[in-house]
Amino acid sequence: MYVSALAFVVFYLGISKLHDAQGETISNGKDAKQSSTFGYYVANHALNIGYSHLGAITNPGNPCWWEVDLRGYFTISNITLTAVTDTANYLEKAFVEVMDKYVSLCSDVQVVWCGEVPNTVAAREKFTFTCNVTFPVRFVRVTRRSASSVRLKIGHVDVQGEGTMKPYRSYYKPSKNKKVSNPLLTTSAITAGDCGIVCHQHHSCIDFSYSATAPTDENYLLTDKALSSHHVNDNSWTTYTMYCM
């Protein structure tokens, strides 16, 4: 039977066994944000090696932070921060944490502290941290605190690890009249609930679209890309976005 849009759609699979990390870069092309942005030094600069001499810079704040959403669940082997070519002191005493959920939305976030940059930083200096994490990670955050208002400036962030299954319940928020633009997978499903189960089983899946009236082999669209859905003039389509995971 057809599943109508609810405030949240919840699906569950058990915790999967973690794998040994293989050291593959998993942060390239992902979504970054920061506590504020100075000029055009946006958060995503820190994920593009071509911008590493400029970096991502926040406005003064306390604390100030930078975060990447890995858009999937991973075991983490190490995280490397690279200072920019100038004003490298804007990275001093910044610390790195990893989380399983979005800290601003979820009340039961697991957090592990991975390490801290020393109080003296040279231009282009690299700092590599290993994280003793027993849960799959989705978010990596770099935070800088001080007795006064400070900036955070990061040249480049490289996160290495490998994918694993989602370990918890997945909550999806529905948006009517929206459809995934560039699906990773196009197939058939009987209900929106069936779509959610498949999305949960793919560690890289973040959103999916479902239609009860589209051709049966094209009524379920799964994506691993951020901001990949668009509005359509067809109220049979609903896009479900991962909310608190």
Side-chain angles (χ1 to χ4, degrees), residues 37-94:
T37 299
F38 172 69
Y40 59 86
Y41 299 94
V42 297
N44 271 71
H45 280 182
L47 296 177
N48 187 332
I49 194 66
Y51 287 97
S52 61
H53 62 296
L54 299 173
I57 313 177
T58 70
N59 290 315
N62 187 23
C64 46
W65 53 265
W66 176 96
E67 181 180 276
V68 59
D69 181 353
L70 298 173
R71 305 304 275 180
Y73 289 89
F74 299 86
T75 57
I76 301 297
S77 56
N78 58 69
I79 300 166
T80 300
L81 305 185
T82 303
V84 293
T85 53
D86 64 342
T87 57
N89 59 305
Y90 285 157
L91 189 59
E92 64 185 17
K93 301 191 75 174

Side-chain angles (χ1 to χ4, degrees), residues 122-142:
R124 307 294 295 164
E125 189 171 359
K126 294 180 183 292
F127 304 92
T128 298
F129 306 97
T130 56
C131 303
N132 184 21
V133 184
T134 59
F135 54 83
V137 169
R138 177 168 169 178
F139 296 90
V140 175
R141 177 173 284 209
V142 182

Side-chain angles (χ1 to χ4, degrees), residues 18 26 30 67-79 96-102 109-114 131-141 159-168 203 245:
L18 299 181
I26 57 176
K30 300 302 172 65
E67 181 180 276
V68 59
D69 181 353
L70 298 173
R71 305 304 275 180
Y73 289 89
F74 299 86
T75 57
I76 301 297
S77 56
N78 58 69
I79 300 166
V96 180
E97 297 172 298
V98 295
M99 298 167 285
D100 63 337
K101 303 175 186 177
Y102 187 39
V109 180
Q110 296 185 87
V111 182
V112 166
W113 187 87
C114 301
C131 303
N132 184 21
V133 184
T134 59
F135 54 83
V137 169
R138 177 168 169 178
F139 296 90
V140 175
R141 177 173 284 209
V159 184
Q160 296 192 341
E162 67 170 359
T164 188
M165 297 294 291
K166 296 183 183 72
Y168 309 110
H203 78 271
M245 295 302 294

